[in-house]
Amino acid sequence: EAGVAQSPRYKIIEKRQSVAFWCNPISGHATLYWYQQILGQGPKLLIQFQNNGVVDDSQLPKDRFSAERLKGVDSTLKIQPAKLEDSAVYLCASSLPRGWVGQPQHFGDGTRLSIL
Amino acid sequence: SQQGEEDPQALSIQEGENATMNCSYKTSINNLQWYRQNSGRGLVHLILIRSNEREKHSGRLRVTLDTSKKSSSLLITASRAADTASYFCATDAYGQNFVFGPGTRLSVLP
């Protein structure tokens, strides 16, 4: 099966500019996650979708970050305006519905964002 | 608050040796998952262990879970240079979001 696809792989922008990341999950995976991973740290969940509905966005800085998952498949994550502290790798992951038994997450290779 | 915390932060061993990493967490969980991340790549799922399980095996990997101590360990036997990576535990609790620890950086020297 094809894995989680993300683009672009790298992005360099200046602070206060805007940027968008795209994710295409594994076919049939209803659950989609966006994570932020700062160098040397573990991934931090930003937002979780179930189909096209938001399940958890409690850690998403909503004044500058937004995400959508139209039609319950592809998803985009946007930052506007970017700050220096947003420099990180943005990872997308997908899984079958989480349920109570738990499901493994499948990750893309991420977008490495550098803010100048 | 941080849920999973791996220990040690970094580990360096010789090829053929065993590597053990530990994960501690604070609240009750439904399951705990271990992931590997190679440099510049996404995370790869290794093992999921549910709260009613005590031990799981997958190839050279062995994971244990002690819910009374709120801790888990990942053992990699007969390590190889290709096992060099960062290893993360992630806790999954009902009604809470996934929380990843800061990871253990494993270096396997040839």
Side-chain angles (χ1 to χ4, degrees):
Chain A
E1 77 186 351
V4 175
Q6 288 189 247
S7 68
R9 284 282 281 132
Y10 305 93
K11 190 74 177 178
I12 301 173
I13 62 172
E14 295 186 348
K15 60 183 179 183
R16 291 188 288 274
Q17 286 187 325
S18 63
V19 64
F21 314 122
W22 174 82
C23 173
N24 181 241
I26 290 173
S27 178
H29 280 190
T31 308
L32 185 146
Y33 308 83
W34 282 102
Y35 289 89
Q36 180 192 58
Q37 186 176 26
I38 292 171
L39 187 65
Q41 299 182 18
K44 171 189 164 186
L45 180 67
L46 293 176
I47 189 167
Q48 176 187 344
F49 291 95
Q50 181 80 8
N51 295 309
N52 60 347
V54 175
V55 173
D56 184 346
D57 64 357
S58 57
Q59 299 188 101
L60 186 73
K62 298 181 187 63
D63 58 332
R64 298 183 301 104
F65 286 64
S66 64
E68 60 182 10
R69 191 182 183 196
L70 299 176
K71 301 180 182 178
V73 181
D74 293 6
S75 178
T76 56
L77 176 70
K78 297 179 182 177
I79 307 175
Q80 182 179 8
K83 292 185 175 181
L84 292 176
E85 65 250 35
D86 299 332
S87 291
V89 175
Y90 290 85
L91 295 163
C92 178
S94 70
S95 75
L96 293 171
R98 191 170 161 187
W100 68 271
V101 296
Q103 295 289 344
Q105 296 182 44
H106 301 260
F107 283 78
D109 282 337
T111 296
R112 183 175 299 276
L113 176 65
S114 298
I115 312 292
L116 304 179
Chain B
S1 63
Q2 191 72 38
Q3 175 74 307
E5 293 272 353
E6 293 91 347
D7 167 60
Q9 289 186 339
L11 180 61
S12 186
I13 59 174
Q14 296 292 133
E15 223 170 7
E17 293 181 338
N18 295 342
T20 300
M21 289 157 264
N22 303 297
C23 172
S24 59
Y25 57 93
K26 295 186 174 70
T27 64
S28 296
I29 59 173
N30 290 336
N31 65 81
L32 185 144
Q33 303 181 28
W34 284 92
Y35 289 81
R36 183 188 75 234
Q37 184 177 36
N38 291 90
S39 181
R41 304 298 300 275
L43 283 73
V44 174
H45 180 261
L46 297 176
I47 287 185
L48 182 155
I49 185 165
R50 298 194 169 93
S51 60
N52 61 351
E53 297 175 312
R54 292 297 166 257
E55 186 171 313
K56 284 189 88 168
H57 296 256
S58 177
R60 294 183 296 112
L61 308 180
R62 172 178 168 257
V63 167
T64 62
L65 179 66
D66 187 334
T67 53
S68 66
K69 294 181 179 178
K70 293 186 170 57
S71 68
S72 174
S73 67
L74 169 67
L75 168 67
I76 304 174
T77 60
S79 62
R80 306 166 181 168
D83 295 328
T84 294
S86 291
Y87 292 81
F88 297 92
C89 68
T91 53
D92 184 5
Y94 187 75
Q96 299 180 26
N97 56 37
F98 276 96
V99 181
F100 282 82
T104 293
R105 292 182 301 282
L106 174 66
S107 297
V108 181
L109 307 174

Coordinates of all heavy atoms in Angstrom, one line a residue, chain A residues 6 8-11 21 33-46 65 77 79 84-93 107-115, chain B residues 37-43 88:
Chain A
Q6 N 3.6 13.6 1.9 CA 3.6 15.0 2.3 C 4.4 15.8 1.3 O 5.4 15.3 0.8 CB 4.2 15.1 3.7 CG 3.4 14.6 4.8 CD 4.0 14.9 6.2 OE1 4.5 14.1 6.9 NE2 4.0 16.2 6.5
P8 N 5.6 20.3 0.7 CA 6.9 20.0 0.2 C 7.7 19.3 1.3 O 7.3 19.2 2.4 CB 7.4 21.4 -0.1 CG 6.8 22.3 0.9 CD 5.4 21.7 1.1
R9 N 8.9 18.8 0.9 CA 9.8 18.2 1.9 C 10.6 19.3 2.7 O 10.9 19.1 3.8 CB 10.8 17.3 1.2 CG 10.2 16.0 0.7 CD 10.1 15.0 1.9 NE 11.3 14.4 2.3 CZ 11.8 14.3 3.5 NH1 11.1 14.8 4.5 NH2 12.9 13.6 3.7
Y10 N 10.8 20.4 2.0 CA 11.6 21.4 2.7 C 10.9 22.8 2.3 O 10.4 22.9 1.2 CB 13.0 21.5 2.3 CG 13.8 20.2 2.5 CD1 13.9 19.2 1.5 CD2 14.3 19.9 3.7 CE1 14.5 18.0 1.7 CE2 15.0 18.7 4.0 CZ 15.1 17.8 2.9 OH 15.7 16.6 3.1
K11 N 11.0 23.7 3.2 CA 10.4 25.1 3.0 C 11.2 26.0 3.8 O 11.4 25.9 5.0 CB 8.9 25.1 3.3 CG 8.2 26.4 2.8 CD 8.0 26.3 1.3 CE 7.3 27.6 0.9 NZ 7.1 27.6 -0.6
F21 N 1.2 23.3 4.1 CA 1.7 22.0 4.0 C 0.6 21.1 3.6 O -0.6 21.3 4.0 CB 2.3 21.4 5.3 CG 3.2 22.4 6.0 CD1 3.0 22.8 7.3 CD2 4.4 22.9 5.4 CE1 3.8 23.6 8.0 CE2 5.2 23.8 6.0 CZ 4.9 24.1 7.3
Y33 N -3.6 13.0 11.6 CA -3.0 13.8 12.6 C -1.9 14.7 12.0 O -1.2 14.3 11.0 CB -2.2 12.9 13.6 CG -3.0 11.8 14.2 CD1 -3.2 10.5 13.6 CD2 -3.5 11.9 15.5 CE1 -3.9 9.5 14.1 CE2 -4.2 10.8 16.1 CZ -4.4 9.6 15.4 OH -5.1 8.6 16.0
W34 N -1.8 15.9 12.6 CA -0.7 16.8 12.3 C 0.1 16.9 13.6 O -0.4 17.2 14.6 CB -1.1 18.1 11.8 CG -1.6 18.2 10.4 CD1 -2.8 18.2 9.9 CD2 -0.7 18.3 9.2 NE1 -2.8 18.3 8.5 CE2 -1.5 18.3 8.1 CE3 0.7 18.3 9.0 CZ2 -1.1 18.4 6.8 CZ3 1.2 18.4 7.7 CH2 0.3 18.4 6.6
Y35 N 1.5 16.7 13.4 CA 2.4 16.9 14.6 C 3.4 18.0 14.2 O 3.8 18.1 13.1 CB 3.1 15.6 14.9 CG 2.3 14.5 15.5 CD1 1.6 13.6 14.7 CD2 2.2 14.4 16.8 CE1 0.8 12.6 15.2 CE2 1.4 13.3 17.4 CZ 0.8 12.4 16.6 OH 0.0 11.4 17.1
Q36 N 3.9 18.6 15.2 CA 5.1 19.5 15.1 C 6.2 18.8 15.9 O 6.0 18.4 17.1 CB 4.8 20.9 15.8 CG 5.9 21.8 15.7 CD 5.7 23.1 16.6 OE1 5.5 23.0 17.8 NE2 5.7 24.2 16.0
Q37 N 7.4 18.7 15.2 CA 8.5 18.1 15.9 C 9.7 19.1 15.9 O 10.3 19.3 14.8 CB 8.9 16.8 15.3 CG 10.0 16.1 16.1 CD 10.4 14.7 15.5 OE1 10.2 14.4 14.4 NE2 10.9 13.8 16.4
I38 N 10.0 19.6 17.0 CA 11.1 20.5 17.1 C 12.4 19.7 17.3 O 12.3 18.6 17.9 CB 10.9 21.5 18.3 CG1 9.8 22.5 18.0 CG2 12.2 22.3 18.6 CD1 9.3 23.4 19.1
L39 N 13.5 20.2 16.8 CA 14.7 19.4 16.8 C 15.1 18.9 18.2 O 15.1 19.6 19.1 CB 15.9 20.3 16.2 CG 17.2 19.6 16.0 CD1 17.1 18.5 14.9 CD2 18.3 20.6 15.7
G40 N 15.3 17.6 18.3 CA 15.7 17.0 19.5 C 14.6 16.6 20.5 O 14.8 16.1 21.6
Q41 N 13.3 16.8 20.0 CA 12.2 16.6 20.8 C 11.3 15.5 20.1 O 11.4 15.2 19.0 CB 11.4 17.8 21.1 CG 12.2 18.9 21.8 CD 11.3 20.1 22.1 OE1 10.1 20.1 22.1 NE2 12.0 21.2 22.4
G42 N 10.3 15.0 20.9 CA 9.3 14.1 20.3 C 8.2 14.9 19.6 O 8.1 16.1 19.8
P43 N 7.5 14.3 18.8 CA 6.4 15.0 18.1 C 5.3 15.5 19.0 O 5.0 14.8 20.0 CB 5.8 13.9 17.1 CG 6.8 12.8 17.0 CD 7.6 12.9 18.3
K44 N 4.8 16.6 18.8 CA 3.7 17.2 19.6 C 2.5 17.3 18.7 O 2.5 17.9 17.6 CB 4.1 18.6 20.1 CG 3.0 19.4 20.7 CD 3.5 20.8 21.0 CE 2.3 21.7 21.3 NZ 2.8 23.1 21.4
L45 N 1.4 16.7 19.2 CA 0.1 16.7 18.4 C -0.4 18.1 18.3 O -0.6 18.8 19.3 CB -0.9 15.8 19.0 CG -2.2 15.7 18.3 CD1 -2.1 15.0 17.0 CD2 -3.3 15.0 19.2
L46 N -0.7 18.5 17.0 CA -1.4 19.8 16.8 C -2.9 19.7 16.6 O -3.7 20.4 17.2 CB -0.8 20.5 15.6 CG 0.7 20.9 15.7 CD1 1.2 21.5 14.3 CD2 0.9 22.0 16.7
F65 N -2.2 29.2 13.3 CA -2.3 27.9 12.6 C -3.7 27.6 12.2 O -4.6 27.9 13.0 CB -1.7 26.8 13.5 CG -0.2 26.8 13.7 CD1 0.5 27.8 14.3 CD2 0.5 25.7 13.2 CE1 1.8 27.8 14.4 CE2 1.9 25.7 13.4 CZ 2.5 26.7 14.0
L77 N -2.3 22.1 6.3 CA -1.9 22.8 7.5 C -1.3 24.2 7.1 O -0.4 24.2 6.2 CB -1.0 22.0 8.4 CG -0.5 22.7 9.6 CD1 -1.6 22.8 10.7 CD2 0.7 21.9 10.2
I79 N 0.2 28.1 8.2 CA 0.8 29.0 9.3 C 0.8 30.4 8.7 O 1.3 30.6 7.6 CB 2.2 28.6 9.7 CG1 2.3 27.2 10.1 CG2 2.6 29.5 10.9 CD1 3.7 26.7 10.4
L84 N 9.6 32.8 14.3 CA 10.9 32.1 14.3 C 10.7 30.7 15.1 O 11.3 29.7 14.7 CB 12.0 32.9 15.0 CG 12.5 34.1 14.3 CD1 13.5 34.9 15.1 CD2 13.1 33.8 12.9
E85 N 9.9 30.7 16.1 CA 9.7 29.5 16.9 C 9.0 28.4 16.2 O 8.8 27.3 16.7 CB 9.1 29.8 18.2 CG 7.6 30.2 18.1 CD 7.5 31.7 18.5 OE1 8.4 32.5 18.3 OE2 6.4 32.0 19.1
D86 N 8.4 28.7 15.0 CA 7.7 27.7 14.2 C 8.7 26.8 13.4 O 8.2 25.9 12.7 CB 6.7 28.4 13.2 CG 5.7 29.2 14.0 OD1 5.3 28.8 15.1 OD2 5.2 30.1 13.4
S87 N 10.0 27.1 13.4 CA 10.9 26.3 12.7 C 10.9 24.9 13.3 O 11.1 24.7 14.6 CB 12.3 26.8 12.9 OG 12.5 28.1 12.2
A88 N 10.6 23.9 12.5 CA 10.4 22.5 13.0 C 10.1 21.6 11.8 O 10.0 22.1 10.7 CB 9.2 22.5 14.0
V89 N 9.9 20.4 12.1 CA 9.4 19.4 11.1 C 7.9 19.2 11.4 O 7.5 18.9 12.5 CB 10.2 18.1 11.1 CG1 9.6 17.1 10.2 CG2 11.7 18.3 10.8
Y90 N 7.1 19.3 10.3 CA 5.7 19.1 10.5 C 5.4 17.7 9.9 O 5.6 17.5 8.7 CB 4.9 20.2 9.8 CG 5.1 21.5 10.6 CD1 6.2 22.3 10.4 CD2 4.2 21.8 11.7 CE1 6.4 23.4 11.2 CE2 4.4 22.9 12.5 CZ 5.5 23.7 12.2 OH 5.8 24.8 13.0
L91 N 4.9 16.9 10.7 CA 4.6 15.5 10.4 C 3.1 15.2 10.2 O 2.3 15.7 11.1 CB 5.2 14.5 11.4 CG 6.7 14.5 11.6 CD1 7.1 13.9 12.9 CD2 7.4 13.8 10.4
C92 N 2.8 14.5 9.2 CA 1.4 14.1 9.1 C 1.3 12.5 9.3 O 2.3 11.8 8.9 CB 0.9 14.4 7.7 SG -0.8 13.8 7.4
A93 N 0.3 12.1 10.0 CA 0.1 10.6 10.2 C -1.3 10.3 10.0 O -2.2 11.1 10.1 CB 0.6 10.3 11.6
F107 N 3.3 7.4 9.5 CA 3.8 8.7 9.3 C 4.3 9.0 7.9 O 4.9 8.1 7.3 CB 4.9 9.0 10.3 CG 4.4 9.3 11.7 CD1 4.0 8.3 12.5 CD2 4.3 10.6 12.2 CE1 3.6 8.5 13.8 CE2 3.9 10.9 13.5 CZ 3.5 9.8 14.3
G108 N 4.2 10.2 7.4 CA 4.9 10.7 6.3 C 6.3 11.1 6.7 O 6.6 11.1 7.9
D109 N 7.1 11.5 5.8 CA 8.5 11.9 6.1 C 8.6 13.4 6.5 O 9.6 13.8 6.9 CB 9.4 11.7 4.9 CG 9.8 10.2 4.7 OD1 9.7 9.5 5.8 OD2 10.2 9.8 3.6
G110 N 7.5 14.1 6.5 CA 7.4 15.4 7.0 C 7.9 16.5 6.1 O 8.5 16.3 5.1
T111 N 7.6 17.7 6.5 CA 8.1 19.0 5.9 C 9.0 19.7 6.9 O 8.5 20.0 8.0 CB 6.9 19.9 5.5 OG1 6.1 19.2 4.5 CG2 7.5 21.2 4.9
R112 N 10.2 19.9 6.5 CA 11.1 20.6 7.4 C 11.0 22.1 7.1 O 11.3 22.6 5.9 CB 12.6 20.2 7.1 CG 13.6 20.9 8.1 CD 15.0 20.3 7.9 NE 15.0 18.8 8.2 CZ 15.1 18.3 9.4 NH1 15.3 19.2 10.5 NH2 15.1 17.0 9.6
L113 N 10.5 22.9 8.0 CA 10.3 24.3 7.8 C 11.4 25.1 8.6 O 11.6 24.9 9.8 CB 8.9 24.7 8.4 CG 8.6 26.2 8.4 CD1 8.5 26.7 7.0 CD2 7.3 26.5 9.2
S114 N 12.0 26.0 7.8 CA 13.0 26.9 8.4 C 12.5 28.4 8.3 O 12.1 28.8 7.2 CB 14.3 26.8 7.7 OG 14.9 25.5 7.9
I115 N 12.5 29.1 9.4 CA 12.1 30.5 9.4 C 13.3 31.4 9.5 O 14.1 31.2 10.5 CB 11.1 30.8 10.5 CG1 10.0 29.7 10.6 CG2 10.5 32.2 10.4 CD1 9.0 29.7 9.4
Chain B
Q37 N 12.5 6.4 14.6 CA 12.7 7.5 13.6 C 14.1 7.5 13.2 O 15.0 7.8 14.0 CB 12.2 8.8 14.2 CG 12.3 9.9 13.2 CD 11.8 11.2 13.7 OE1 12.0 11.6 14.9 NE2 11.1 12.0 12.9
N38 N 14.4 7.3 11.9 CA 15.7 7.5 11.3 C 15.8 8.9 11.0 O 14.9 9.7 10.7 CB 15.9 6.6 10.1 CG 15.9 5.1 10.4 OD1 14.9 4.4 10.5 ND2 17.1 4.6 10.7
S39 N 17.1 9.4 10.9 CA 17.4 10.8 10.7 C 16.7 11.3 9.4 O 16.9 10.7 8.3 CB 18.9 11.0 10.6 OG 19.2 12.3 10.4
G40 N 16.0 12.4 9.5 CA 15.4 13.0 8.3 C 14.1 12.3 7.8 O 13.6 12.6 6.7
R41 N 13.6 11.3 8.5 CA 12.5 10.5 8.1 C 11.3 10.6 9.1 O 11.5 11.1 10.2 CB 12.9 9.0 7.9 CG 14.0 8.8 7.0 CD 13.7 9.3 5.5 NE 12.6 8.6 4.9 CZ 12.6 7.5 4.3 NH1 13.8 6.8 4.2 NH2 11.5 7.0 3.8
G42 N 10.2 10.1 8.7 CA 9.1 10.0 9.6 C 9.2 8.9 10.6 O 10.1 8.1 10.5
L43 N 8.3 8.8 11.5 CA 8.3 7.7 12.5 C 7.7 6.4 11.9 O 6.8 6.5 11.1 CB 7.5 8.1 13.8 CG 8.2 9.1 14.7 CD1 8.2 10.5 14.2 CD2 7.5 9.1 16.1
F88 N 10.9 6.3 20.3 CA 9.9 7.1 21.0 C 8.8 6.1 21.6 O 8.4 5.2 20.8 CB 9.3 8.1 20.2 CG 10.2 9.2 19.6 CD1 10.8 9.0 18.4 CD2 10.4 10.3 20.4 CE1 11.6 10.0 17.9 CE2 11.3 11.3 19.9 CZ 11.9 11.1 18.6

